[in-house]
Structure formats: structure tokens, C-alpha cells
Amino acid sequence: MSLPRYSPLHGLPALAGLATFADAQQPGLSVEQCVRRLKRYHYAFKRLHGIFIARLTAEPIYELKMAFSLHAHYCAEHAAALRQRVGEMREPPLGLDAVPDAALEIFFDEIQCAPSTPELLLGIYERAVPALIAALQRHQRETNPLADAPSVRLIKFALIELGELAEYGAKALTAIRATAVQENVAEVKSPAGWLSLLDDCLGVAAQIDGTHPGPAKTLTRQYSAQPFTFDKVPRRDARFPDPYNMGVNAEAFLYDPAQPAEPKVLMMFYKRLREIDVPEMMASIITETPGKPWGYYRDMTRQLWDEARHAMMGEVGFVSLGVDWTKVMVNFTWSYGLNTQLTAKERHGVLYFIEQGLMPKTGKRFEWETAQAAHNALSAAFQDYDWADEVLHARVGRDWYVSQFESPKDAVAWGDRAWSKVLIGWRQWKDEGLTEHRNWWPDVYRDYCAAQGVEPDEKVLAYAETYETTRADLKAVSASA
Ligand SMILES: [Fe+2]
Ligand SMILES: [Fe+2]
């Protein structure tokens, strides 16, 4: 029988505030039980990460691409933390790349192969995420809060971000269902049969943590009967009606000292928004580069998320200037060209080549100075962080790309050669009727002037440089990073 009236000195909180004495006297999980569960949570985060990444390139809806980028980043971070924790528990962090349960594998394979966006969202946000949350909450309840405090801490942080995922997913599904009703298209397919297959998988796996067996069922793969194939062709929603348009050379305008700073801010917001193509491209590198240490996926996914943030900074910038960004032709030619013409390593080379070129004075510093010259505090803040992110990306490139070469010089030269191989078919796309390369700039600039209450400047209005003439030197052409 334990001491009935034991209490800390001066009535201070017990046990560093972690738990009551009653809770701390429950033995909870053994190290072995704990590790077994941690490995399964790790597997769930790893699979979710892979699904978000593998599906974002071909997902047409811009907002979902952005959300998938963030959610992939969260999952990569939690997978990293769990790997480290497993390594602290008398267990070399081995076996982390093994599949802990065949039924869980089918569960995540089915979600990864979901044939439509609504089904993908249902699988992720109405099945996988709630199941993972339930498992982590069980761990919190069942483990010893003092002995296993380091795991409890990781789980606490993971639950905060999984809560964000769940909330986002619920709102996204509500919105998509409402749109389906409004547009009078057939109700978003509610694939009852498929969802019960997912439930059966969880039952056979005894849930994500392996502790609550459901009825024995035979699991027959539906969507994953054929193995998943990664779709590397970027897709965009209806607000991107002219994805091959290379009619407005943003860089030539930005670097023209004769043009004023204020409309350059508008052009920089366009350049930021156009960075949607970087997550579309980086997702293909990550998906097509298996077998790296987890640090690679974690760093690359952080960068992918940064690039999604840069795109959203552009979106916010348009809103701040009172300009409708859908009148700007945000092309996908860079991600399309790289994804369909280069290997994963070559794409990484191009990314590194472009990013190390942004470090000198003409790159990110120049953009920040331009925003300051225009006295646009929002653009200056965005460019300031964009610049800081770029320094991080150069480090990621050195760690995971340059390290494969004899010297940094070789790595840059190799990336340069890969970039030169990409054929951007300016003339061909026009001839095939894919685009007119329409100069959208004057209309958008006029909208900007109207919103700002200023008279259009004739020189700015007359800007009509395309990407056609710079075709010979691809290095100067539209380059996202
Ligand atoms: Fe960027
Ligand atoms: Fe970057």
C-alpha cells in the first residue's frame, strides 16, 4: 500500500508537473511494448509523408498542393523524431524501414492509389489521420508518464500537428462536398465499399498501434491491386488556363534598371506565385529517389514546403495589391520540362545550379532591395524570408546533392549541363496550338494601377519581352527556386 499522505515540499507540483503520484505508479508499457508501438507510428507518418509527396504533382487544385506540402513536412519531422526516440531505447534504429504489419501496408497502399481527389482526402483525413491520433492518445494514456516521458513529449507535439491535419481535412471535405452539390455534379462518390476495406485493414492490423484487433477478414486489394505508379506530369486547376504561356519575361523586367521599382514588386509577386512549380518538381525527385537516409527526405521536404510557402507569399501579395492573380498566366513549363525530360538526379542538379546562382548580389538580395526601394513593407518582409530560406536550401543542396561529386565545381557543372538538356518548346507549343504566349502584362498592370489609384506608366505598360529570345541561354530563362 502506498503512502497515503505523501506530498512534495511546500505543496509544489509533483514530479516536475508531469503527472500525479497515482498516475506515475502505474507501470504502463514496457520498453519492448513501447518500441513496438513507436515503430508503427513511425511507419504511419512515413507512409503519409510519401502519399502527400507522391500525389501533389498531379493534384490539380492549387490549395491542396499547398496543404499536401505542409502536411508532408509535418509528417517528415515527426518520423524523424520517432526514429531518434527508437534509437534511444536499447534498440539500434534498425527495422525502421521494415513494414511492421502487412494489413497496415495494404491500408496505406489503398489510400496512395485512390483514383480521385475526394477519395484520397477521405482515406487520408477521415481514416488514416484519426486512426493515428487515436493510437497516439492511447499511448499517452497507457504508458508510464515518468518513465516514458521522452516518448510522451514527442507524442504531445505530434498530436498538435495531427489535429491541424484533421481540422484541415474536415473543412476541405466539407468544401468539396458542398461544391459538388452546388455544381450539381453527381454527389462526391462516397465509396462505402472501399472505406470499409480501409476499416477492415485497420481491424486486421489491430489498429495503427497493433493493440486492438478487429474481426479476422480476408483483405482484397481494390485500388492497389495494381502497384502505385507516380504521375510526374504536373496538373493545375481551371484558374491556370494557359500553362504553357511564356509570354512575359519576369526576370528581364526585374533586372531592367530603367523600369521603376513599384511594378517590379507586382512582378516579384508573380515570380513567387509561379514557384508552385518547385514543389511539383521536388516531389518527383523525392518520390523517385528511394533508399536514402531519412535526413534526406526530411531536408528535401522542408525545402519543398518552403517553396510552397513562397508561392503562397505571391498569392498573398496579389491580394494585398488588389490584383486578381488568375489574370496572370502562371505556367508550369519548368516543372513539366524537368519532370518529363530529366532523371531525379539531374533535376536535383538543375535545382542546385539555379539556387547557388541566386546567392550573389543579383539574386535574392536584389529582390529584397527592390521591395525596399518600392517602400512595400510586405514584399520586403517576404523577400527577406525568401532570401533566408534560399541560404538554407543551398545547405540542403550541398549536403545531399554536391556530396555525390568529387568537388562542388563538378556538381555545379553537372547541374548546368542537365539544365541545358531541357527543351522548353516555345515555338513548338505555339505551333501545336497549346498557347499563344499572350502578353498578359499590360492588363494586369492596368488592374494594379486602378487598384492603387495611380496612372499607368507608358514604359511599364509597353513591356513586351517574352521568353522566346532568351531561349538560347536557358540559364537566364524562367527559373524557379
Ligand atoms: Fe523559392
Ligand atoms: Fe529555394
Side-chain angles (χ1 to χ4, degrees), residues 76 103 111 144 179 216-217 307 324 464:
I111 297 172
N144 185 287
T179 308
K217 292 263 172 94
E307 307 296 5
D324 175 2

Side-chain angles (χ1 to χ4, degrees), residues 303 307 310 355 390 393 481:
Q303 177 172 348
E307 307 296 5
H310 298 166
E355 292 201 305
E390 218 49 70
H393 301 169

Side-chain angles (χ1 to χ4, degrees), residues 8-28:
L9 187 64
H10 303 316
L12 285 163
L15 302 169
L18 275 185
T20 64
F21 282 98
D23 289 342
Q25 289 176 80
Q26 304 302 319

Side-chain angles (χ1 to χ4, degrees), residues 110-386:
E110 283 292 315
I111 297 172
Q112 182 158 33
C113 294
S116 70
T117 299
E119 286 161 289
L120 179 65
L121 298 181
L122 282 170
I124 293 173
Y125 296 110
E126 283 196 355
R127 288 299 185 276
V129 169
L132 183 52
I133 288 176
L136 294 179
Q137 287 173 336
R138 237 180 342 260
H139 194 119
Q140 278 183 319
R141 283 195 305 274
E142 294 177 6
T143 200
N144 185 287
L146 184 61
D148 192 23
S151 305
V152 172
R153 178 171 175 271
L154 299 188
I155 287 170
K156 178 168 59 187
F157 293 139
L159 281 170
I160 292 173
E161 295 190 332
L162 283 171
E164 277 183 41
L165 262 73
E167 190 185 340
Y168 181 91
K171 288 179 176 167
L173 277 161
T174 304
I176 286 201
R177 286 185 180 116
T179 308
V181 172
Q182 268 165 31
E183 294 181 356
N184 210 10
V185 289
E187 182 78 43
V188 173
K189 254 199 304 181
S190 194
W194 182 62
L195 290 176
S196 41
L197 169 62
L198 295 184
D199 293 336
D200 290 348
C201 290
L202 286 174
V204 173
Q207 300 301 309
I208 300 280
D209 56 9
T211 64
H212 283 66
K217 292 263 172 94
T218 313
L219 301 173
T220 309
R221 288 177 182 267
Q222 290 183 27
Y223 297 148
S224 69
Q226 299 297 322
F228 176 73
T229 48
F230 172 60
D231 186 351
K232 61 173 90 177
V233 176
R235 279 190 191 77
R236 300 277 177 88
D237 64 57
R239 295 165 299 173
F240 301 82
D242 196 0
Y244 293 89
N245 184 310
M246 296 186 75
V248 179
N249 188 323
E251 290 75 20
F253 182 79
L254 187 58
Y255 294 121
D256 181 351
Q259 295 286 4
E262 291 76 9
K264 285 183 180 175
V265 165
L266 177 63
M267 197 64 103
M268 286 196 293
F269 285 144
Y270 163 61
K271 273 173 63 68
R272 296 286 75 78
L273 181 57
R274 197 179 58 191
E275 291 195 59
I276 302 161
D277 59 5
V278 195
E280 287 170 345
M281 190 286 280
M282 288 195 75
S284 76
I285 303 179
I286 296 170
T287 302
E288 295 184 336
T289 309
K292 291 276 189 184
W294 189 253
Y296 168 89
Y297 301 103
R298 182 191 191 184
D299 283 354
M300 292 290 280
T301 306
R302 164 60 200 271
Q303 177 172 348
L304 180 150
W305 159 236
D306 291 347
E307 307 296 5
R309 274 167 48 234
H310 298 166
M312 289 187 282
M313 288 179 194
E315 182 189 10
V316 172
F318 275 96
V319 173
S320 76
L321 294 178
V323 179
D324 175 2
W325 68 259
T326 64
K327 293 192 178 173
V328 167
M329 295 304 116
V330 182
N331 59 49
F332 71 174
T333 49
W334 187 77
S335 52
Y336 179 75
L338 265 65
N339 285 12
T340 57
Q341 296 174 38
L342 298 183
T343 65
K345 187 179 172 185
E346 287 171 328
R347 283 174 228 142
H348 204 176
V350 171
L351 184 66
Y352 182 73
F353 173 76
I354 291 169
E355 292 201 305
Q356 54 88 40
L358 297 173
M359 287 298 106
K361 278 210 161 247
T362 48
K364 291 295 163 189
R365 172 188 283 276
F366 176 81
E367 294 190 330
W368 175 66
E369 288 171 348
T370 302
Q372 292 210 313
H375 303 291
N376 186 309
L378 181 66
S379 175
F382 284 169
Q383 292 307 139
D384 205 7
Y385 282 87
D386 182 73

Side-chain angles (χ1 to χ4, degrees), residues 446-464:
R446 265 192 218 96
D447 285 358
Y448 159 85
C449 291
Q452 302 296 307
V454 297
E455 275 302 305
D457 174 330
E458 284 307 318
K459 186 171 165 50
V460 176
L461 205 53
Y463 184 71

